[in-house]
């Protein structure tokens, strides 16, 4: 990946820079006509070896800056994203203490479309373009029923649960009523 290549290049530069600069400095010193003696060479080697420690942290600095820029881009994207309008109509629990869930013809996208100002778009058009999560979903769970949502990868299990807890973008953008919940609903991570 690009990040790995930048990290490898930075590491290579930091490891070779003191040696290359030592050779270049000693060559330039010899070209001046001054005598190159052991005391001068060892002093130069000692000073350039001290450069290794600060240069060792240079790749980590570049990596930290790249990670920071990536994090800021992600945070900015999250903060600029459109708020999802609550579309669940929560009702008090029914007599007997049980709750029920009803949803009919629910159409949802994973994220809001970039062109949300188009009032003439229908649910069918939206489900055929963009990133549809659910199209025409209906479910009815009565008090006391136990429901298991099973299926293959990508079949819509997570989308169904997220639609029930108001975490998807409904189509149309301002539905009158997509679902009714009597009681409370939660998503428990696996």
């Amino acid at each position: 990946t690009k990040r790995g290549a930048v990290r490898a290049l930075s590491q290579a530069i930091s490891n070779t820079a003191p040696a290359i600069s030592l050779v270049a400095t000693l060559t330039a010193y010899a070209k001046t006509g001054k005598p190159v003696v052991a005391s001068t060479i060892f002093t130069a080697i000692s000073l350039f070896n001290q450069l290794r420690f600060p240069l060792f942290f240079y790749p980590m600095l570049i990596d930290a800056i790249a990670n920071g820029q990536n994090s800021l881009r992600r945070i900015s994207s999250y903060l600029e994203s459109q708020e999802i309008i609550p579309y669940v109509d929560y009702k008090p629990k029914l007599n007997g203490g049980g709750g029920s869930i009803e949803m009919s013809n629910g159409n949802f996208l994973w994220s809001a479309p970039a062109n949300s100002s188009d009032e003439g778009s229908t649910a069918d058009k939206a489900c055929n373009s963009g990133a549809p999560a659910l199209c025409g979903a209906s479910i009815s769970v009565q008090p006391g029923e136990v429901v298991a949502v099973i299926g293959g990868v990508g079949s819509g299990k997570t989308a169904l649960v997220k639609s029930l807890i108001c975490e998807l973008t409904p189509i149309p953008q301002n539905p009158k009523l997509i679902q009714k919940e009597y009681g409370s609903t939660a998503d428990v991570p696996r």
Side-chain angles (χ1 to χ4, degrees):
T1 64
K2 185 177 179 181
R3 183 174 171 215
V6 169
R7 182 181 290 174
L9 180 65
S10 298
Q11 195 74 19
I13 290 171
S14 70
N15 286 335
T16 59
I20 292 172
S21 59
L22 175 65
V23 170
T25 304
L26 289 176
T27 304
Y29 183 74
K31 295 269 185 188
T32 62
K34 296 182 181 175
V36 180
V37 292
S39 61
T40 306
I41 293 173
F42 288 126
T43 303
I45 290 173
S46 172
L47 292 174
F48 280 105
N49 277 336
Q50 288 181 356
L51 281 178
R52 284 188 187 271
F53 185 72
L55 288 177
F56 177 73
F57 290 102
Y58 176 70
M60 288 188 256
L61 173 68
I62 291 177
D63 190 41
I65 289 171
N67 285 338
Q69 285 178 335
N70 191 24
S71 297
L72 287 176
R73 183 180 47 80
R74 287 180 179 181
I75 291 170
S76 174
S77 172
Y78 173 75
L79 292 176
E80 291 173 355
S81 64
Q82 192 175 20
E83 290 287 328
I84 296 177
I85 300 167
Y87 52 82
V88 176
D89 184 17
Y90 292 98
K91 308 272 185 178
K93 286 186 178 181
L94 297 173
N95 292 339
S100 68
I101 299 173
E102 295 177 28
M103 176 173 53
S104 60
N105 199 24
N107 298 298
F108 300 93
L109 295 176
W110 284 111
S111 59
N115 232 355
S116 60
S117 62
D118 184 14
E119 295 295 329
S121 66
T122 64
D124 291 335
K125 282 184 191 174
C127 278
N128 292 331
S129 64
L134 285 177
C135 293
S138 298
I139 186 172
S140 177
V141 180
Q142 299 305 317
E145 287 184 341
V146 177
V147 177
V149 181
I150 59 172
V153 175
S155 62
K157 301 177 298 291
T158 301
L160 177 64
V161 173
K162 285 186 175 284
S163 72
L164 295 175
I165 59 175
C166 203
E167 289 190 3
L168 292 180
T169 303
I171 307 168
Q173 288 294 315
N174 298 315
K176 292 180 182 155
L177 179 64
I178 290 182
Q179 63 195 40
K180 297 183 243 180
E181 293 190 15
Y182 298 94
S184 60
T185 308
D187 180 17
V188 180
R190 352 195 205 299

